[in-house]
Amino acid sequence: MSSVAVLTQESFNEHRSGLLPEQSGGPSAGEDEEALPTYKEAFPPLPEKAASPEGTQEVAHTWTAKIRPIKSSIITQVFHVPLEERKYKDINQFGEGDQAKVCVDIMHKTGAHLELSLAKDQGLSIMVSGKLDAVMKARKEIVSRLQTQASATVAIPKEHHRFVIGKNGEKLQELELKTATKIQIPRPEDPSNQIKISGTKEGLEKAKHEILLISAEQDKRAVERVNIDKVYHPFITGAYNKVVGEMSQDTGARINVPPPSVNKTEIVITGEKEQVALAVAMIKKIYEDKKNATTIAVEVKKSQHKYVIGPKGNTLQEILDKTGVSVEIPPSDSSSETVILRGEPDRLGQALTEVYAKANSYTVSSVSAPSWLHRFIIGKKGQNLAKITQQMPKVHIEFTEGEDKITLEGPTKDVQMVQSQIQAIVTDLVSRMDYAEISVDPKFHRHLIGKGGVNINRIKELHKVTVRIPPDNEKSNLIRIEGDPQGVQEAKKELLELASRMENERTKDLIIEQRFHRAIIGQKGEKIKEVRDKFPEVIINFPDPAQKSDIVQLRGPRTEVEKCSKFMQKIVAEMVMMIIIFSSFSINSEMIIITGKKANCEAARNRILAIQKELANITEVDVSIPSKLHNSLIGSKGRLVRSIMEECGGVHIHFPTEGSGIDKVTIRGPVEEVEKAKQQLLALAEEKQTKSHTAELHAKPEYHKFLIGKGGGNIRKVRDSTGARIIFPTAEDKDQELITVVGTEEAVREAQKELEELIRSLDNVVEDTMTVDPKHHRYFVARRGQVLRDLADEYGGVMVSFPRTGSQSETVILKGAKDCVEAAKKRMQEIVEDLDAQVTVECVIPQKFHRSIMGPKGSRIQQITRDHNVQIKFPEREDPQGNGAAPAAETAVQENGEASEEVREPADPNAPKKCDVIVISGRKERCEAAVEALKALVPVTIEVEVPFELHRYIIGQKGSGIRKMMDEFEVNIQVPAPDQQSDKISITGLANHLDRAKDGLLERVKELQAEQEDRALRSFKLTITVDPKYHPKIIGRKGAIITNIRTEHDVNIQFPEKNDENQDQITITGYEHKAIAARDAIQAIVDDLEGMVSEDITLDSRVHARIIGARGKGIRKIMDEFKVDLRFPQSGAADPNTVTVTGRPELVDEAIDHLLNLEEEYMADVVENEAKMAYMRPPSSSAAAGDEQRGPSKGFVVREAPWTNTNEKAPDMSSSEDFPSFGAPVAAKASPWGPKRF
């Protein structure tokens, strides 16, 4: 019988209330009763402990699921150490000393927790808690470190040692943990069989027992080795190892037969002794049966052997399985083709048939196909070939690079089918495809490919061809094009056009200093992209930053490269402006480079030049020279104008930018030199304008110094006599032999003639000799012949040869140009005269100052040596063991060991120590000057008074302040230790540095004192009393208002902490006037707040959310608009409809009006929504009426309960016995619910 239930609004409400309506005499009453759950369904019984009878199956219920017991991961074990075995027995210090430290260390190391206690017998009880692994490790540590150790040895056969160790030492580690002992096993090369065990007595016994058990177990096992010829192994193993597998299974022994690839005859059997003996007997029986087997030898082609063997030897196993005949194939490295068959005579014929069938089952064939077509036959990712191999998987297809054939190998029928398929593909490809090869210089290959392959990919897609460009490492110029014949020809034509265009292109190297490269490229390459867009045909390559190269390469059509070059030079010119500042104290000029925008560079240049005019006698003169002559006046790479600037004391000559058309040339520098440069420049310009002439001649670089002469004397004579200008190459010029002569034609001819005569005379090598006393030879050849090298550089490469050491010859040979030899000879005579006039002077300076005098790497001494042309020798350092002086009296000892009667006189106490004497050699007047220079380098110490409280500020953080001063003034500053409380700071250094260092230190003291005074002024503090309720308003949203006051007045403002007594005190710290200003600002805010009023209004809580808005957006808008503060009630407030409005009276009234208007507007929506909801649910009155009609609930009803069929009483739900509460004691009582389980 079935029924349909209709769910109405009323029935839904009844269902939700959990009550069933009483219906009397309705037709559905019986159906409702049947719908009630049975007692067993509502309360499923618990499973019985007794097993269910056989043949019945328990119904799976929720109650029947086995609950796995949850085991704690933490375990606790107690270990006891008897008094006699304790390591630390000092009973008076329990919990202290070494024992406690050891326990703490064990806890740290293992992660276990240890608790120690003493038993009455003074034994030590240790309770260890933690994870199992940690407890076992802790136990081992306790035994080894808190318990006295005993040791013992146990002897077992050497071959059993590895079983004690186990795989990767795991067994040994487990044994040590288990017994808490240390087990030492002798190394494999050690013949000893003794295993040493150390630990407690109990542990020793356990470990010994375990080791002997392992050995006893291994004694039961046996290993047997049987030598049987390799040819009989297949019969022992059987086809697919069946025979040997069955033997292993039957006997239980492990049988190891070497594989066919290993040339060994030994078969190893391991296992129990009885098992091994049985297996050996079975193997020998098979051998005896097959020993007299018949063999036949047949010839099979070497190439067919692999087909007889089959994949992984499967074919041989198949023949052995079918026929019982073993087939022996010669090794692959052997040239033999003989195959031997071994087995029973009646089976050999069948086996031979199988061998020939397998050998002839495969064939090798080839298909002719041009090698360039191979990849088209294979297809993209092998797609074409995959179709064939899927159909014929047994056919192997091999493509050999460079060969015009394809090799096929496999079953004869399959090979023939694959051959016909590939032949068809080849025929088709040959008919519709072509190829062409073109020759292009490899240097153009990357340009043909293009950036990211853009050029070559475009050609491939446009003409539907493939283009193979050889990689750089092949260094091949052949490019291969393959594809449709028409496409190949078109692609060939386009590639050749590109190549020819590239051959006509020009490459230009632009010299731009590397430091400007980044500025030219711009951020993320923006600036260089603009240049490339302007000149799209030009390729611009910047060097790698790591190469430190200034060369920027431009490549493209000639005209475009020129335009791009000029454009980039203009960019560089705008970036860089050079200014030379001249110092009246030094001949050398110093260059300042200003980088930035042109306008900013000009402004900076003008300011620096204004400072320069005040500091030095610098003048600036403008000279008008036609702009067309500027390039010729500057010369190649600026050589001409540079020579004028160098000759005139380093003046700076500034020409206008090329192409500007400006005639004005500016000369800056010292007054006299500027005038001189002006005259030379005008004269040169006049020569250039009227009858300018240039000539070039070559001379070896070593002749240049001689041609110029000392101080330019020689070249000045030529210039004065001829009127021509002679320019020598600079170090940057590539051609170091080129000498340029500029002037009128006649002057150039005369100067050229004189110079050529000088050069010819230099080329005319002569040999001369001079006499030099042997005692002076060492001076010339010392320091690897430095003096001789200097002579060669100065006098046109003249060669000076001194006689060999020890020959006592005085003759010195000079070889070179005649004039050079004469000049060098004269100079050497001057040097010899100086050496003859040399004296030795001693300068006494205490040794402790020697290092300071030498300077870093001896630089100061080298400078004095060069300036005064003297030799300086420092003494050996004093022996640190002695006092540096000889004993007052020393007994002389003769060679025979007897004391001499002569006794040395006591040394003069006033005599200087040897270690303090510096020896100076040279001319007398130079030595005296050098002595004065050395004494000037002796450091002097002065003391400066600095208040003690400032010392730490002078030292600075981690000594940075004092280090900076020492580096700046080149002195050593010693600050006294803090415990001395001294005001004296010592400064040690050169006399000329001390005054500067002292002034600098005192200046620093003034700064620190000023800072102290400033800190004192800044520490002015005042407080202001403000009602705590105004504090949030003063702080502002996210601290905005208070941060603004702090920043504006440069003060620190502190609000009281929560626990402070004075909650109304705000503290302001800073300068007095600023603190007062900040206080006034806070007071002004407070005054404004005090002038505000707060009013409470009633707004229906249902509209609060609408007024506040999403994330407070609505309420913030109202507060900003009316300049008021709104406070809505928190959840759980007594009156949820009260809203507080705070602000100026007039603004509060406006805000309240606005809020009431919003309430009225939003309430209309609320009422409308509630009216709609009324239709969705019945009114509360009807629900109450329904409750009255429904009457009391029957409660929870079930069918077939135990008490319905018996006289038992139904359980009383109000009874604490039938339904006890948790934790309440209940008396045991028989119940229809079955036996209780706990």
Side-chain angles (χ1 to χ4, degrees), residues 382-408:
Q383 288 177 353
N384 297 348
L385 211 58
K387 293 175 185 176
I388 299 171
T389 53
Q390 282 171 6
Q391 294 173 359
M392 308 290 177
K394 293 184 179 179
V395 178
H396 175 66
I397 305 170
E398 185 178 349
F399 294 83
T400 308
E401 191 176 351
E403 290 188 10
D404 293 338
K405 69 173 183 177
I406 302 166
T407 306
L408 310 176

Side-chain angles (χ1 to χ4, degrees), residues 33-52:
E33 189 175 344
E34 288 181 4
L36 292 172
T38 65
Y39 181 81
K40 284 190 177 181
E41 288 173 349
F43 302 100
L46 293 171
E48 295 292 337
K49 286 185 181 177
S52 59

